[in-house]
Amino acid sequence: MLEYIFRRLLISIPLLFVIAIIGFITMELPQGDYVTRYIAQLEASGQSGARERGAELRRVYRLDDPAYARFVTWISRFVRGDFGDSFYYQKPVKTLISQRLPLTLALTIPCFLISWAIGISLGIFSATHQYSLADNVLTVVAFLGLGLPAFLVALVLIVATWQITGDVYTGLFSAQYANAPWSLVKVADLAKHLVIPVGAVVFSGMAWVMRVMRGNLLDELRVNYVQATRAKGVPERVVIWKHAVRNAFHPLVMALGGVLAWLLSGTAIVEQVIGLPTLGPLFIQATMEQDVYLSGTILILLSSLLVFGNLLADIGLALLDPRIRYD
Amino acid sequence: MTANSITTPRALSQEERRAMLSVRQLMWLRFRRNRLAIAGCAILAVMYLTMLLAGFVAPYSVTTTHERYVSAAPTQLHLVDADGRLQWPPFVYGITSKTDPHTFRKIYTPNPQEVYPIRFFGRGETYHLLGPLQTDIHLYIVDDPGKIFLMGTDRNGRDLFSRIIWGSRISLTVGLVGVLLSLTIGAFLGTVSGYFGGAIDMVVQRAIEVISNIPQIPLWLALAAAVPSNWDPVKVYFGIAVVLSLVTWGGLARQVRGIVLGLRDSDFVIAARYTNCSTFRILSRHLLPNTFSHVLVIATLAIPGMILGETALSFLGLGIRPPLTSWGVLLNEAQQVRVLLQQPWSLIPALFVLATVVSFNFVGDGLRDAADPFSGE
Amino acid sequence: MSDKNLLLEVQDLKTHFHTSRGVVRAVDGVSFSVRRSRTLGVVGESGCGKSITSLSVLRLLQRPGKIIGGQILYHWQKRNGNEEIIDITALDPDGDEMRSIRGGQIAMIFQEPMTSLDPVYTVGNQIVEGINYHLKVPPAEARKMAVEMLRRVKMPEPERIFDSYPHQLSGGMRQRAMIAMALALRPSLLIADEPTTALDVTTEAQILALLRDLQREFGMAIMYITHNLGVVAEMVEEAIVMYLGKVVERAPVRNLFYDPKHPYMMALLQSIPKLGRKSRARLQAISGMVPSPFAVPPGCPFHPRCPKFMPGVCEVSEPPVTDFGGEHAVSCFLYQ
């Protein structure tokens, strides 16, 4: 087992290297670069000296160097912890990311926990009460959750709350609390603003978990050992939870591998739509502006989390299922 | 009649006939019983038919602007006239617009003096029905200067319903093209990888591993940003389809590989090898047809993801771009909350996305249950 | 037929399934008895209702199956020596009383040993689980009981098997584990639902021999459900033959094989290929096919395929039961 973990960790290094290359190429694909966009923007707003400023940026960031040279420079700095600077913000990438990380996690961790808790419970309930009215209602809800992307749900919620309360719940705080000192009222305001993003994300997230759990549990309940366990006089409750649910969990554990990466990027578009100062909008903007060090670093960061998360998931699977042994 | 006598041939009973059906026929019978799947099929059929007859169903073209009716709310249909009598066909009132002196926004009020009955199969703008064939007959239209905006207008005064209908041409097909591309790469590599094993398998596996270890949405964003905005619209369309498929072929390949691995050592394949079947023949005549039903299920269930992906990308401005229209592009207008609050009807395309995705899910689930012999009962 | 040795009496049991395509009368008026320490075989083709009968006895039916008529009387010999007769059909399937009967008084082993054990728990864990829901014993004691049972079913290295997972055992060993699990509480009745159908012949012979030994050793009754006439001949003292949810013949095993009365049983025996026949002779099969459970023929269910079919009689009403004495009874119009 330890050997397996060690081997996987070893392989992840070249894997991440290849991903870095692919990431870099992807960032390079759009025509032009940040500077050309910058120049165009300055000129459009009528400012002078755009070209000179552009040339200056080019020189400082050595943007005229050939691609592989820039890649090598970037990677060699990356592994030493220097992730480069953002052109747009003129600040180190590391600072930008760490600034936004806490808030991002404060949003996504509760979303994840709530949607999985609800999804698993409702999935088990649905499977054990198949074809009942509740099951049918939950199925409809699940299909709605799967068919409506979270960002659209968020928009609908914004409109709905505006129609009902007259307030627009975008951003983190209402205007009057944005720069105010922390107080109970401010926390309440924050909570009110978080309801929409959390609600939207949870609605979509729990739909998927519920469907998968329901499907898996239904499949497990058909396997012979369930009936054999009942035949021993074991209560139904135990048959379902100790035996069937535990076996049904398998595919969900595999899905958990992506959770770490999701915690940082899965809610990006919702965050963008609501206007939260989190990593999602940062990445979207960086991609569109070709702020390559920023977007590239985030991409590598997310991929590393995915690689690591998958490893943890595989270990978890081996712990859960004695049939899997990695020797 | 003793047990020894040869029974004369007689008509087959229903059970016997059923026992002799081919696998495909059994699948169809099982599928037919799934009401949700049939409903999904029906909805999709209507959508695709509407898409083909877009010009007919939509009262206006994609680009027709009605400058005097910018950001207008959906037009109300009336069945009862001013005297309380039931009228058929339904009619709409004319719209008078005023500018609010404080907000400078337009306010629209229906004008009961102007009555415009809906003309079914009436004449409107000309459009191309099929190739060079032109006509001006629309499913429903009102006479000028009346307007019928079933789902309101956007900031440029374009009828949203018409744009939704025309936009379905992109939204409903980009997913199909993407899945087709994804399948082509994925099914091919998956089959080859699963059947030949060894070095080929290792290489393909590694490639899939690399792709699947980059989070999907960020990769879509990054690749979509790479599609140049100055390309002509058709190229952009295919560019986006390629982007969508590049991220998902890995998952498809992995699943196909799993199926092929399961089939590779079955008796009929070994038998084929013993009879000196060429590898190509084994793959095409024996393996592929057996993977067909599974691949069909996988493909159908992958389409919703593609549609949602295109919608998300276009919503952000990274996918399909004007002058091409898709539902995601239409939703882009709703991105600015200020605009959204003024025009809440601009979220209506979401309902179409929902209906399409849910229908494909129903059909995919139905196919999967039909292909799986151990389901139900 | 009331005598002190009755253990289980099934009287006119009817178990129906209300499906979207119609009603399936899986068990339609089945009556039989099992006596203490005796063996009964339940014979029939797939779909005749033999498995559903045993699931009904243990109240293990899943939706949409329901017992809609009849009685299942279990003669429970309590610890104080008194015998209590309990109607199983009147109990709550998930209630305490039924669950103490299930596994404690009546146990069941199933057809597919490969999938009848939970793959994520050890064999020992699963045997002890059964014990714990019936007896309050400390874990060490339970473990001893389980290991002892594993030894009795002739498992090599029972201690090691106790801590092994099902996927580490072969099919035959898994079936032995199942038997150990079922017998750990010394039930009065063991229902064996085709326990050897999924095993190869050598393992089958071993398991059958094991069951015979254990039956003698523990003095328990066994109900063998099988479609294999060879197993019936070898293992049981008397048997009932089922067709489409009804019992068509009941007899001690010798009578059944040497003097079958029902045309179905006769045809079954004739269809067994015999050694020494000329290789050119045709195999004799019963003509026709088992009808769909949604379209059970009227009258005697076997009449469309019966070589002794009597028009105007057999398809009109259900045949009465004729008793030949010596516990041999048949349900057929031939003996009116």
Side-chain angles (χ1 to χ4, degrees):
Chain A
M1 181 51 123
L2 278 172
E3 201 193 294
Y4 172 73
I5 298 178
F6 186 66
R7 247 188 312 132
R8 281 286 291 263
L9 284 172
L10 217 56
I11 289 202
S12 58
I13 299 177
L15 180 64
L16 285 172
F17 186 71
V18 173
I19 291 179
I21 296 180
I22 294 184
F24 188 78
I25 295 177
T26 315
M27 296 306 160
E28 290 284 307
L29 281 176
Q31 289 170 337
D33 56 24
Y34 178 79
V35 177
T36 42
R37 239 175 255 265
Y38 179 65
I39 293 176
Q41 273 173 355
L42 284 187
E43 286 182 342
S45 59
Q47 296 192 32
S48 61
R51 260 175 236 267
E52 290 74 23
R53 304 248 283 272
E56 175 72 19
L57 278 173
R58 279 234 145 78
R59 201 179 50 78
V60 168
Y61 289 111
R62 302 171 64 152
L63 287 175
D64 287 324
D65 283 356
Y68 68 85
R70 278 183 285 130
F71 178 71
V72 169
T73 324
W74 180 47
I75 288 295
S76 50
R77 290 215 192 116
F78 196 98
V79 295
R80 267 180 278 147
D82 175 8
F83 302 141
D85 291 348
S86 155
F87 302 134
Y88 182 83
Y89 289 96
Q90 294 285 302
K91 273 204 269 201
V93 167
K94 196 189 275 191
T95 319
L96 286 168
I97 294 182
S98 51
Q99 262 176 356
R100 298 185 170 221
L101 200 56
L103 184 60
T104 310
L105 289 176
L107 172 68
T108 55
I109 290 182
C111 282
F112 163 64
L113 292 174
I114 299 176
S115 48
W116 275 64
I118 297 182
I120 291 177
S121 330
L122 289 182
I124 295 178
F125 179 82
S126 235
T128 51
H129 295 82
Q130 203 187 9
Y131 302 130
S132 67
L133 179 65
D135 178 34
N136 285 327
V137 167
L138 286 175
T139 303
V140 170
V141 170
F143 276 111
L144 284 178
L146 287 173
L148 277 177
F151 66 91
L152 286 176
V153 176
L155 288 174
V156 169
L157 286 176
I158 292 179
V159 174
T161 52
W162 175 70
Q163 301 238 332
I164 298 175
T165 66
D167 292 322
V168 181
Y169 285 96
T170 54
L172 273 183
F173 299 102
S174 312
Q176 64 259 49
Y177 296 114
N179 293 314
W182 280 100
S183 63
L184 217 57
V185 204
K186 179 163 176 168
V187 170
D189 185 54
L190 176 65
K192 272 196 283 188
H193 280 257
L194 282 180
V195 167
I196 291 183
V198 170
V201 172
V202 165
F203 185 67
S204 304
M206 72 103 186
W208 181 83
V209 174
M210 178 167 75
R211 286 306 288 176
V212 173
M213 189 70 213
R214 177 183 183 274
N216 294 343
L217 190 56
L218 283 177
D219 284 342
E220 278 308 310
L221 287 174
R222 278 197 273 264
V223 184
N224 290 330
Y225 70 81
V226 173
Q227 198 71 309
T229 308
R230 286 193 188 113
K232 287 190 296 191
V234 176
E236 188 69 10
R237 203 187 5 102
V238 175
V239 170
I240 295 192
W241 285 89
K242 179 181 170 193
H243 292 270
V245 168
R246 176 149 169 193
N247 275 282
F249 221 75
H250 200 124
L252 285 175
V253 175
M254 293 208 290
L256 280 177
V259 163
L260 284 179
W262 181 87
L263 287 177
L264 261 57
S265 66
T267 50
I269 308 184
V270 174
E271 295 163 12
Q272 168 92 332
V273 154
I274 297 192
L276 297 174
T278 46
L279 279 178
L282 189 67
F283 178 75
I284 295 178
Q285 183 193 34
T287 308
M288 290 171 86
E289 301 262 344
Q290 286 180 273
D291 200 348
V292 285
Y293 292 129
L294 184 53
S295 54
T297 304
I298 296 182
L299 200 64
I300 304 286
L301 176 65
L302 295 174
S303 300
S304 319
L305 287 176
L306 197 51
V307 170
F308 187 59
N310 282 333
L311 175 59
L312 288 179
D314 282 343
I315 295 177
L317 211 56
L319 288 174
L320 199 68
D321 191 339
R323 288 172 290 187
I324 301 177
R325 286 288 174 249
Y326 294 95
D327 352 82
Chain B
M1 207 172 53
T2 69
N4 268 330
S5 67
I6 299 170
T7 44
T8 49
R10 57 185 163 79
L12 296 170
S13 70
Q14 199 202 25
E15 298 86 50
E16 289 166 320
R17 249 181 289 130
R18 187 175 258 173
M20 284 168 34
L21 288 176
S22 74
V23 173
R24 207 154 292 182
Q25 286 167 309
L26 276 172
M27 262 181 71
W28 168 240
L29 272 180
R30 254 202 299 261
F31 181 81
R32 236 187 20 195
R33 280 198 282 133
N34 185 332
R35 274 177 292 180
L36 284 180
I38 295 297
C41 273
I43 296 179
L44 289 176
V46 167
M47 289 198 141
Y48 279 94
L49 194 62
T50 308
M51 176 189 93
L52 289 172
L53 300 173
F56 172 67
V57 177
Y60 306 107
S61 83
V62 201
T63 48
T64 311
T65 48
H66 309 268
E67 286 124 3
R68 289 180 43 215
Y69 301 102
V70 159
S71 299
T75 321
Q76 270 195 312
L77 294 177
H78 298 275
L79 281 171
V80 180
D81 67 11
D83 302 319
R85 274 180 304 184
L86 210 62
Q87 291 274 18
W88 185 266
F91 57 93
V92 300
Y93 289 134
I95 310 171
T96 41
S97 66
K98 273 191 307 215
T99 314
D100 183 306
H102 303 291
T103 61
F104 293 105
R105 272 195 261 135
K106 291 212 180 250
I107 303 187
Y108 300 102
T109 30
N111 180 359
Q113 312 288 34
E114 298 171 23
V115 173
Y116 299 101
I118 297 181
R119 306 223 178 278
F120 293 108
F121 296 90
R123 294 186 178 275
E125 301 165 18
T126 8
Y127 60 91
H128 289 271
L129 185 59
L130 264 170
L133 186 63
Q134 280 189 330
T135 179
D136 62 353
I137 302 182
H138 292 265
L139 180 64
Y140 73 94
I141 190 87
V142 294
D143 296 331
D144 274 333
K147 306 284 177 194
I148 179 161
F149 306 126
L150 277 186
M151 293 179 181
T153 62
D154 63 12
R155 277 182 306 170
N156 291 321
R158 293 176 293 197
D159 175 34
L160 190 58
F161 182 70
S162 301
R163 304 231 315 151
I164 290 177
I165 299 294
W166 283 102
S168 70
R169 292 197 156 181
I170 304 287
S171 293
L172 288 177
T173 54
V174 119
L176 294 182
V177 174
V179 162
L180 222 61
L181 288 172
S182 221
L183 259 187
T184 314
I185 314 173
F188 175 68
L189 285 177
T191 311
V192 158
S193 172
Y195 188 75
F196 293 111
I200 301 181
D201 188 20
M202 267 224 26
V203 169
V204 172
Q205 288 267 76
R206 296 296 140 248
I208 298 177
E209 211 180 304
V210 167
I211 290 283
S212 44
N213 270 308
I214 308 179
Q216 205 180 42
I217 297 183
L219 187 57
W220 262 344
L221 291 174
L223 286 175
V227 176
S229 39
N230 51 17
W231 269 5
D232 71 74
V234 178
K235 269 181 160 182
V236 170
Y237 175 85
F238 281 105
I240 296 299
V242 167
V243 165
L244 289 174
S245 64
L246 274 180
V247 176
T248 48
W249 73 264
L252 286 174
R254 207 182 260 156
Q255 287 178 300
V256 173
R257 176 181 173 274
I259 299 169
V260 170
L261 274 181
L263 289 174
R264 183 181 60 174
D265 298 319
S266 15
D267 291 338
F268 70 93
V269 172
I270 299 180
R273 274 207 286 257
Y274 275 129
T275 60
N276 254 330
C277 257
S278 74
T279 311
F280 177 71
R281 198 176 155 82
I282 296 181
L283 286 176
S284 56
R285 234 180 152 246
H286 294 283
L287 271 180
L288 232 46
N290 274 292
T291 62
F292 177 71
S293 55
H294 288 114
V295 168
L296 184 62
V297 173
I298 297 174
T300 311
L301 288 173
I303 295 178
M306 294 271 183
I307 295 180
L308 288 173
E310 180 271 315
T311 305
L313 287 176
S314 306
F315 173 78
L316 290 173
L318 285 170
I320 304 289
R321 292 157 218 179
L324 277 183
T325 311
S326 77
W327 295 335
V329 172
L330 292 174
L331 287 167
N332 179 282
E333 275 223 5
Q335 205 189 124
Q336 291 185 313
V337 179
R338 211 176 17 92
V339 176
L340 173 64
L341 295 179
Q342 279 179 30
Q343 293 173 199
W345 50 89
S346 42
L347 280 180
I348 292 181
L351 291 176
F352 284 78
V353 173
L354 174 67
T356 313
V357 166
V358 166
S359 301
F360 270 112
N361 273 329
F362 282 163
V363 173
D365 273 350
L367 282 173
R368 187 182 45 198
D369 288 342
D372 175 9
F374 297 111
S375 67
E377 238 53 289
Chain C
M1 203 178 62
S2 70
D3 61 88
K4 287 290 190 303
N5 274 326
L6 277 180
L7 180 61
L8 183 75
E9 287 178 273
V10 175
Q11 295 171 347
D12 200 33
L13 177 66
K14 290 195 171 73
T15 302
H16 292 185
F17 286 72
H18 288 267
T19 72
S20 50
R21 285 196 290 167
V23 181
V24 178
R25 298 187 180 78
V27 178
D28 204 17
V30 163
S31 304
F32 62 89
S33 313
V34 184
R35 276 176 285 184
R36 265 177 225 286
S37 308
R38 307 291 291 274
T39 48
L40 174 76
V42 180
V43 191
E45 292 172 84
S46 320
C48 69
K50 43 195 208 297
S51 288
I52 304 289
T53 306
S54 57
L55 289 178
S56 304
V57 168
L58 277 178
R59 301 303 300 277
L60 283 176
L61 290 172
Q62 297 296 300
R63 254 183 292 137
K66 241 180 97 123
I67 298 178
I68 63 142
Q71 287 182 306
I72 302 174
L73 300 174
Y74 178 67
H75 296 238
W76 192 335
Q77 190 120 70
K78 299 276 172 146
R79 244 184 281 255
N80 52 20
N82 292 345
E83 187 183 88
E84 195 184 322
I85 301 183
I86 299 187
D87 181 6
I88 287 180
T89 56
L91 296 177
D92 170 16
D94 204 27
D96 289 338
E97 198 166 10
M98 188 64 225
R99 279 194 294 109
S100 75
I101 292 179
R102 215 185 276 143
Q105 298 294 315
I106 307 178
M108 187 157 162
I109 56 177
F110 294 83
Q111 184 174 349
E112 299 260 357
M114 299 309 267
T115 50
S116 295
L117 289 165
D118 189 333
V120 297
Y121 294 102
T122 60
V123 170
N125 181 308
Q126 297 186 55
I127 301 181
V128 166
E129 182 183 35
I131 297 178
N132 282 333
Y133 277 102
H134 289 94
L135 300 171
K136 290 279 172 279
V137 287
E141 176 74 30
R143 190 198 163 102
K144 251 182 52 187
M145 287 172 69
V147 172
E148 179 57 35
M149 205 59 229
L150 285 170
R151 189 169 298 123
R152 296 277 200 116
V153 299
K154 313 250 184 17
M155 282 277 222
E157 296 178 84
E159 295 271 351
R160 195 178 58 85
I161 299 288
F162 184 93
D163 292 317
S164 303
Y165 286 97
H167 67 275
Q168 294 168 307
L169 307 179
S170 72
M173 288 167 81
R174 280 187 228 195
Q175 195 58 296
R176 287 177 201 268
M178 277 222 69
I179 296 173
M181 208 160 77
L183 298 184
L185 291 154
R186 307 280 200 280
S188 312
L189 171 63
L190 173 68
I191 303 180
D193 190 349
E194 310 217 37
T196 55
T197 304
L199 301 171
D200 63 84
V201 255
T202 327
T203 320
E204 176 176 35
Q206 292 170 346
I207 298 292
L208 289 177
L210 174 67
L211 284 170
R212 241 203 320 264
D213 291 339
L214 289 172
Q215 196 254 330
R216 249 179 275 136
E217 203 182 315
F218 290 157
M220 68 190 165
I222 303 188
M223 209 170 108
Y224 274 99
I225 301 176
T226 178
H227 59 264
N228 185 332
L229 291 174
V231 170
V232 175
E234 217 182 298
M235 302 294 291
V236 304
E237 293 154 334
E238 59 173 335
I240 63 174
V241 182
M242 284 182 70
Y243 186 80
L244 276 186
K246 299 199 187 345
V247 177
V248 297
E249 186 163 359
R250 179 200 356 129
V253 123
R254 279 194 83 81
N255 296 34
L256 195 62
F257 279 85
Y258 289 115
D259 187 25
K261 302 282 189 212
H262 196 279
Y264 179 54
M265 189 65 206
M266 293 194 254
L268 279 180
L269 286 172
Q270 271 181 329
S271 66
I272 300 176
K274 293 178 182 37
L275 284 177
R277 281 169 82 118
K278 291 208 179 64
S279 55
R280 296 234 177 193
R282 277 184 141 209
L283 282 178
Q284 300 200 19
I286 307 177
S287 71
M289 284 176 25
V290 180
S292 153
F294 295 104
V296 174
C300 168
F302 187 61
H303 80 255
R305 307 167 73 190
C306 184
K308 302 222 166 65
F309 169 61
M310 297 183 290
V313 179
C314 296
E315 78 273 38
V316 173
S317 57
E318 280 195 32
V321 177
T322 312
D323 200 328
F324 288 92
E327 316 226 344
H328 191 158
V330 158
S331 168
C332 183
F333 277 112
L334 278 176
Y335 304 100
Q336 266 294 22

